[in-house]
């Protein structure tokens, strides 16, 4: 009788995707989005410009993490799609398209360019893939230099929009907010889908994944195309924010290197990690950029320390120790509440 009563009081384990913490995080993210959307009505241009930069950093870090952290594709050439997106916006505006309406066009064109490239790049693996992506980005840079209509090596300036500078700054900010929101939400939904599971399976063990029916080529290609679209949109917004476009700058490998650094610091293979890494990176830029070469040394030292002390990244270490996952992808086992306990 005693054993039956003890068994009746034993909680039932339940399998969930969203627990109380993750539900609260989703609500908090929605509230934060509304607050960010209303920010231009309260704060002036400098705050909007700073947050625009943060939004672009988060977008690039998250898109790079989608490739490396979930699809196992380490790329040092995603700046190719930054350039494609930026130059697509330039051509679109010259053709009479509203510059802010041209941002989705830039994302679509970047995705379209990535489709044929993926068939060649995916013939390589590991370090060869990383080098090949960088070569593609350099080829794009050299190609743009040879086209006088795009400004050649000197670059080009965004044609006048006729908008008041205050309004233009606010519209650029809202566009960056829309891009980062769509990027994070899109990545989360993608990773929760069958394709996301397939990509993780191929990343962990390609042969085993193929043996159980996973289409490895599709599992790699879809994240690559999504990442290309995200970088293309980020490149277009970057052009809107800077008003000036130069091949040597937009196709610079530092963009991929910085995305790698942010994902590494925050935690590769987590949704929250790149966001944390982007905030850390922007903070270091804001407070230490005036140090010149010493700033780069400090970035390198920080990366080394994180790899030695917390190889899973700052958020990864925190999540592993506390079990907190704000935006879960898979299912987890959680103890049942009192109302879910077994009864007689």
């Amino acid at each position: 009788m005693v054993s039956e009563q003890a068994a009746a009081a034993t909680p039932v384990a339940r399998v969930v995707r969203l627990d109380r913490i993750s539900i609260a995080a989703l609500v908090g993210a929605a509230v934060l989005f509304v607050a960010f959307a209303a920010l231009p009505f309260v704060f002036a241009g400098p705050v909007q410009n700073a947050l625009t930069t943060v939004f672009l950093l988060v977008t690039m870090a998250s898109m790079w993490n989608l490739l490396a952290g979930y699809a196992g594709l380490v790329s040092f050439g995603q700046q190719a799609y930054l350039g494609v997106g930026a130059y697509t916006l330039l051509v679109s505006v010259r053709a009479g398209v509203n510059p802010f309406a041209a941002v989705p066009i830039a994302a679509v064109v970047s995705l379209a360019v990535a489709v044929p490239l993926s068939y060649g790049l995916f013939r390589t693996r590991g370090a060869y893939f990383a080098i090949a992506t960088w070569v593609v980005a350099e080829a794009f840079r050299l190609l743009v230099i040879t086209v006088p209509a795009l400004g050649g090596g000197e670059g080009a300036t965004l044609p006048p929009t006729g908008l008041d500078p205050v309004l233009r700054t606010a519209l650029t900010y809202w566009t960056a907010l829309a891009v980062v929101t769509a990027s994070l939400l899109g990545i989360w939904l993608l990773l929760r889908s069958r394709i996301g599971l397939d990509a993780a399976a191929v990343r962990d063990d390609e042969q085993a994944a193929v043996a159980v029916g996973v289409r490895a080529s599709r599992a790699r290609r879809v994240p690559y195309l999504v990442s290309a679209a995200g970088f293309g949109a980020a490149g277009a917004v970057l052009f809107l924010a800077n008003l000036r476009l130069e091949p040597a700058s937009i196709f610079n490998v530092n963009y991929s290197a910085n995305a790698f650094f942010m994902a590494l610091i925050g935690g590769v293979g987590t949704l929250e990690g790149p966001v944390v890494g982007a905030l850390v990176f922007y903070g270091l830029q804001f407070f230490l950029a005036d140090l010149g070469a010493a700033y780069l040394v400090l970035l390198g030292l920080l990366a080394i320390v994180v790899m030695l002390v917390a190889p899973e990244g700052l958020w990864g270490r925190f999540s592993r120790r506390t079990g907190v996952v704000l935006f879960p992808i898979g299912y987890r086992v959680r103890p049942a509440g009192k109302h879910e306990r077994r009864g007689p």
Side-chain angles (χ1 to χ4, degrees):
M1 183 66 179
V2 175
S3 60
E4 292 179 357
Q5 292 178 348
T10 303
V12 179
R14 55 195 177 98
V15 179
V16 299
R17 263 194 169 180
L18 299 177
D19 55 16
R20 292 179 179 178
I21 294 177
S22 55
I23 292 174
L26 289 173
V27 173
V31 172
L32 192 62
F33 173 80
V34 173
F36 278 140
L39 184 137
F41 299 104
V42 181
F43 293 97
V47 176
Q48 297 174 43
N49 291 334
L51 285 175
T52 297
T53 301
V54 172
F55 294 157
L56 293 177
L57 290 176
V58 171
T59 299
M60 289 186 280
S62 299
M63 287 298 172
W64 192 93
N65 180 59
L66 173 65
L67 279 181
Y70 291 100
L73 300 171
V74 177
S75 170
F76 286 104
Q78 295 308 101
Q79 67 274 13
Y81 301 111
L82 279 176
V84 170
Y87 278 100
T88 297
L89 186 134
L90 174 65
V91 173
S92 300
V93 172
R94 286 179 175 177
V97 179
N98 182 284
F100 302 99
V103 173
I105 299 176
V108 172
V109 171
S110 298
L111 186 150
V113 170
V115 172
L117 288 176
S118 66
Y119 285 93
L121 290 172
F122 286 175
R123 293 180 178 271
T124 61
R125 292 288 187 273
Y128 296 103
F129 175 83
I131 295 172
T133 57
W134 176 75
V135 171
V136 168
E138 284 297 293
F140 278 21
R141 181 181 67 83
L142 295 175
L143 177 63
V144 169
I145 289 175
T146 63
V147 181
L150 298 178
E154 295 182 358
T157 302
L158 184 70
T161 60
L163 296 174
D164 178 78
V166 175
L167 178 59
R168 184 186 60 79
T169 300
L171 289 174
T172 302
Y173 167 85
W174 279 321
T175 305
L177 176 61
V179 167
V180 71
T181 302
S183 298
L184 293 175
L185 182 60
I187 291 173
W188 187 56
L189 294 176
L190 174 65
L191 294 176
R192 289 166 61 91
S193 69
R194 173 64 182 272
I195 294 177
L197 295 176
D198 289 349
V202 172
R203 174 201 62 194
D204 294 337
D205 192 328
E206 181 176 354
Q207 293 182 349
V210 173
V212 296
V214 174
R215 295 169 55 187
S217 60
R218 187 187 70 165
R220 287 197 182 96
R221 184 166 288 109
V222 172
Y224 182 78
L225 298 180
V226 172
S227 178
F231 269 90
V237 178
L238 191 63
F239 186 21
L240 286 174
N242 295 335
L243 303 179
R244 179 72 186 169
L245 181 62
E246 296 178 1
S249 175
I250 198 67
F251 290 108
N252 197 315
V253 71
N254 284 341
Y255 284 113
S256 288
N258 291 340
F260 164 73
F261 175 85
M262 290 183 285
L264 176 69
I265 293 298
V268 176
T270 64
L271 284 175
E272 303 88 349
V275 179
V276 174
L279 293 175
V280 171
F281 180 74
Y282 180 80
L284 292 173
Q285 273 192 330
F286 185 81
F287 292 106
L288 304 178
D290 293 338
L291 298 180
Y295 160 71
L296 299 177
V297 174
L298 290 174
L299 285 183
L301 289 176
L302 177 61
I304 293 173
V305 171
V306 171
M307 285 188 291
L308 293 176
V309 178
E312 65 271 60
L314 299 177
W315 177 264
R317 187 177 184 84
F318 170 80
S319 180
R320 183 172 63 84
R321 288 196 169 190
T322 63
V324 174
V325 179
L326 299 182
F327 306 106
I329 298 170
Y331 291 93
R332 293 172 295 164
V333 178
R334 289 289 183 266
K338 292 183 179 179
H339 63 284
E340 294 175 303
R341 296 176 186 274
R342 286 197 186 100

